[in-house]
Amino acid sequence: MTTGSAKDAARAVDDHPALDYVARAGLVAFGIVHLVMGWLIVQLALGDRENSADSAGAVRELAQQPFGEALVWAVGVGMVLLALWQVVEAAVGHRQDDGAARVRKRLTSLGKVVLYSVIAATAFKVVTGSGSSGGNGTESLSAKLMNLPGGQVLVGLVAIGIAVVGGYLIHKGATERFLKDIEAGGASGRVGSAYVWLGKIGYIAKGAAVLAVAALFAYAAITHEPDKSGGIDEALRTVLDQPFGSVATAVVGLGFAAFGLFCFAWARHIDR
């Protein structure tokens, strides 16, 4: 198959209505993960420090519920479908944009492929019994980077990159740019207004959590201590130790839950 015909085939897939159902199934799974994360974060704020308040912890929490194995399988499959949708978007999507905007959005889709694939892999590891509750992947990453020439600079650049993502999520929520992803009718009326508020709160809360992760990486870079970095769970535990930390952490947890509910609305009113 030639490059041209391959692109034509990919565009045909992107335009096919069936891809809407793939995306919807994936968004429902993503929503479930965020709802459970929200619950775990609120529990963390209330003093439960035993569970990990991140996507891996959410998957493990799901596995412990009635019909947990089926739920985790469903989440894993849903995240694979979400990743497949973003693969198509990264390859031939965002055709309504031109130039740098299209390249930026396709690269963003590629980044989402990695994120969704990681959650899917975690789900499948948990459900097959090969998952491990230990280990800190972000700490290992920062330690490896720190051992390279110019390691502190590299970790600092990672911190800046993560901060950019966090800032973008907050901006997307505050300016309601996420409304471009749902049908106009989905944001109308009282129910639509509720969807909008769920999206605003959810994106801003996620952005705040990501900025906290960026702060940990920045601190690790400045102090040359890679063990000071970490993911969302570690960042929220650091926030928890600050004045009014339990309140701030609980608010973030409610925000993650709001984003999970928004994902359900997004799935219902998706506009690709």
Side-chain angles (χ1 to χ4, degrees), residues 5 20 44-45 47 49 63 70 84 95 112 131 158 160 176 213 228:
S5 59
D20 286 348
L44 177 64
R49 299 202 174 200
L84 288 175
R95 281 173 282 162
K112 290 178 180 179
V158 170
I160 292 172
E176 301 180 2
V213 174
K228 299 298 183 182

Side-chain angles (χ1 to χ4, degrees), residues 94-99 101-102 105:
H94 309 294
R95 281 173 282 162
Q96 69 277 16
D97 299 296
D98 296 310
R102 180 187 294 176
K105 289 187 177 182

Side-chain angles (χ1 to χ4, degrees), residues 43-100:
Q43 291 302 301
L44 177 64
L46 295 176
D48 180 4
R49 299 202 174 200
E50 301 222 348
N51 297 310
S52 180
D54 52 19
S55 59
V59 170
R60 288 192 290 269
E61 180 70 16
L62 272 177
Q64 296 173 13
Q65 306 309 311
F67 308 105
E69 184 173 333
L71 283 171
V72 175
W73 272 113
V75 165
V77 171
M79 298 313 299
V80 169
L81 293 176
L82 207 53
L84 288 175
W85 170 36
Q86 290 304 310
V87 166
V88 175
E89 292 293 287
V92 295
H94 309 294
R95 281 173 282 162
Q96 69 277 16
D97 299 296
D98 296 310

Side-chain angles (χ1 to χ4, degrees), residues 137-151 154-155 226 229:
T138 50
E139 181 180 324
S140 300
L141 170 64
S142 59
K144 291 176 181 177
L145 290 175
M146 201 73 82
N147 289 329
L148 296 174
L154 291 174
V155 175
S229 67

